[in-house]
Amino acid sequence: MKRIGILTSGGDAPGMNAAIRAVTRHAIDKGLEVYGINYGYAGLVAGDIFPMTAKTVSDRISRGGTFLYSARYPEFAQVEGQLKGIEQLKKFGIEALVVIGGDGSYHGALRLTEHGFNAVGLPGTIDNDIPYTDFTIGFDTAVTTAVEAIDKIRDTASSHARTFVVEVMGRGAGDIALWAGVAGGVEQIVVPEHDFDIESIASKIKIAREKGKKHIIIVLAEGVMHADEFAEKLSEYGDFSVRSTVLGHIQRGGAPTARDRVLASKMGAYAVDLLLEGKGGIAVGMLENKLTYHNMLDLFDGKHNPDMSLFELNESMSR
Ligand code: ADP
Ligand code: F6P
């Protein structure tokens, strides 16, 4: 194998650039050539492909987003799109591919492997919702951003004795809420993975108020419901002076944390080693601080398990 390609796909995540850098530099170090593919599978099909050097990835490690851009391109689920992509790979002499993205992107990578092009996936998503890895690239940065926001919200919540519902991202997963909730010292975490009862949350707030607590912060995972809806339901049980804040896409941007940069660097280099061993249709993970890989088919059947001990921990610290 002489030449590999790399693309980023699906929602961007801080640390994707660090992963692209690691793949590029490690591959060059191993005597390979690297081609970048812009705009995920859309750029692959369109032939938006260019050669990269060690210099192309210079000054990228600290930047959020992805300098290869990303795209949602549902057409790639059709065989015609996949075959067009393969035509482009052949045209550019690319023999294998690294795909950085979430599980949707992994489906595209598996299709390519099934068509004879080895592709290895790296988990790049702030949601941390990929099975067989403890952490995904971008999660730590998103949590850090959410915690910074919660800290700021607490200042104003204390000044006005208000209750805040802070909605964080995560699609169907509660990981960002769990980590940001514990790190932000919030009064309540609400995630899709755990039942909740608004009336009980309301009485918890009343008790906290009676004890003299000024700020009440509820961190709500977006997969549960919208923050405004939650705030409205909560207001039915008392005048808590509730405000809601949706953190939204700020969680997807910004300089990646050191943890995300290191995770991305380790995973990126490992993906190149796996391609050199002739492997494809697999995704890289980090389990108990050890690099691992799993077949993508197993991964689609696997279940992501957030660390629910964080929920219990927060309950015990917020009563
Ligand atoms: P993520 O990778 O973050 O989960 P998406 O689910 O949007 O994000 O998937 C990213 C891209 O992966 C899609 O826009 C599409 O190009 C490709 N993709 C998703 N599902 C499939 C599939 N079943 N087959 C082939 N490609 C797919
Ligand atoms: O998967 C990452 C993510 O940011 C989710 O947390 C969120 O639900 C979704 O993407 C938002 O997608 P979009 O950027 O397309 O609005």
Side-chain angles (χ1 to χ4, degrees), residues 37 40-49 73 76 80-82 84-85 88:
I37 299 160
Y41 295 116
L44 173 62
V45 169
D48 191 352
I49 300 171
Y73 183 65
F76 205 70
E80 298 94 277
Q82 296 155 16
K84 266 194 210 157
Q88 295 291 3

Side-chain angles (χ1 to χ4, degrees), residues 9-11 41 71-74 76-77 82 101-105 107-108 111 171:
S9 166
Y41 295 116
R72 307 231 195 241
Y73 183 65
F76 205 70
Q82 296 155 16
D103 72 335
S105 305
H107 275 92
R111 294 291 97 79
R171 210 180 287 249

Side-chain angles (χ1 to χ4, degrees), residues 230-244:
F230 192 95
E232 209 178 300
K233 284 183 195 288
L234 189 64
S235 302
E236 287 169 16
Y237 295 96
D239 180 11
F240 302 119
S241 182
V242 188
R243 295 290 186 276
S244 54

